[in-house]
Amino acid sequence: MLRNALGKAFRFLGYTVQYGCIAHCAFEYLGGIVVCSGPSMEPTIQNSDVVFSENLSRHFYCIRKGDIVIVKSPNDPKSNICKRVIGLEGDKVCTSNPSDFLKSHSYVPKGHVWLEGDNLRNSTDSRCYGPVPYGLIRGRICLKIWPLNDFGFLRASPNGHRFLDD
């Protein structure tokens, strides 16, 4: 009887570890569901919107300008942030705020991206902390799940004029 109980316990433990590893790999490499908070991505993503983030793009270096990404915060590594990619390595980006009279520009260094929120007046982004290392990107948001009336692919940036092509 004791042997039978130990056998069941070890089988249960084995299945738990096995399915835990599968779940970890799925969330780490495939993607997951994310609840966004804060006003920095309004109007594209509102506070408490639920989105799907896929993680394959970051592993295959397929992040492009205009993508919305989940990134480990450069200011607080315990939290994630949601921002739009404005520039990739080597791109010239506008580093000043929209309200600044004199505009300043810089180039994104190798291995980094330039991130900005869609709500430029209420976003802490690369204009504050500079270019972000590519390794901090956790995933790319590809679909809004909630609220249901806004279900679907995300719309283009309301700040498309900030993308420089020279």
Side-chain angles (χ1 to χ4, degrees), residues 78-98:
K78 293 179 184 172
S79 66
N80 292 321
I81 57 174
C82 176
K83 304 290 179 197
R84 191 178 297 272
V85 177
I86 300 299
L88 301 170
E89 63 181 43
D91 287 344
K92 182 179 179 182
V93 293
C94 180
T95 57
S96 55
N97 288 313

Side-chain angles (χ1 to χ4, degrees), residues 140-157:
R140 180 179 65 91
I141 294 177
C142 56
L143 188 68
K144 189 185 288 190
I145 298 172
W146 189 263
L148 285 177
N149 64 340
D150 213 8
F151 179 86
F153 296 105
L154 298 170
R155 64 179 85 118
S157 172

Side-chain angles (χ1 to χ4, degrees), residues 6-150:
L6 283 174
K8 286 183 181 181
F10 281 121
R11 268 195 304 279
F12 177 75
L13 182 62
Y15 288 134
T16 303
V17 169
Q18 184 178 9
Y19 291 123
C21 290
I22 292 170
H24 168 74
C25 288
F27 289 126
E28 180 66 23
Y29 295 102
L30 297 180
I33 295 176
V34 178
V35 178
C36 297
S37 62
S40 71
M41 285 304 293
E42 291 176 355
T44 309
I45 298 174
Q46 305 289 328
N47 192 33
S48 299
D49 280 359
V50 179
V51 296
F52 178 76
S53 170
E54 61 86 13
N55 298 349
L56 290 174
S57 293
R58 75 179 170 116
H59 293 294
F60 293 115
Y61 296 93
C62 296
I63 301 294
R64 298 184 310 245
K65 280 198 270 187
D67 286 347
I68 300 174
V69 292
I70 302 291
V71 180
K72 284 281 180 201
S73 172
N75 294 336
D76 178 15
K78 293 179 184 172
S79 66
N80 292 321
I81 57 174
C82 176
K83 304 290 179 197
R84 191 178 297 272
V85 177
I86 300 299
L88 301 170
E89 63 181 43
D91 287 344
K92 182 179 179 182
V93 293
C94 180
T95 57
S96 55
N97 288 313
S99 58
D100 292 348
F101 180 70
L102 295 173
K103 302 295 181 202
S104 59
H105 296 87
S106 181
Y107 288 93
V108 181
K110 185 174 178 68
H112 290 70
V113 293
W114 189 268
L115 304 174
E116 291 182 3
D118 285 354
N119 185 355
L120 291 174
R121 300 197 190 290
N122 197 4
S123 177
T124 302
D125 48 37
S126 287
R127 293 171 295 153
C128 300
Y129 43 72
V132 176
Y134 192 92
L136 293 182
I137 296 175
R138 307 304 306 148
R140 180 179 65 91
I141 294 177
C142 56
L143 188 68
K144 189 185 288 190
I145 298 172
W146 189 263
L148 285 177
N149 64 340
D150 213 8

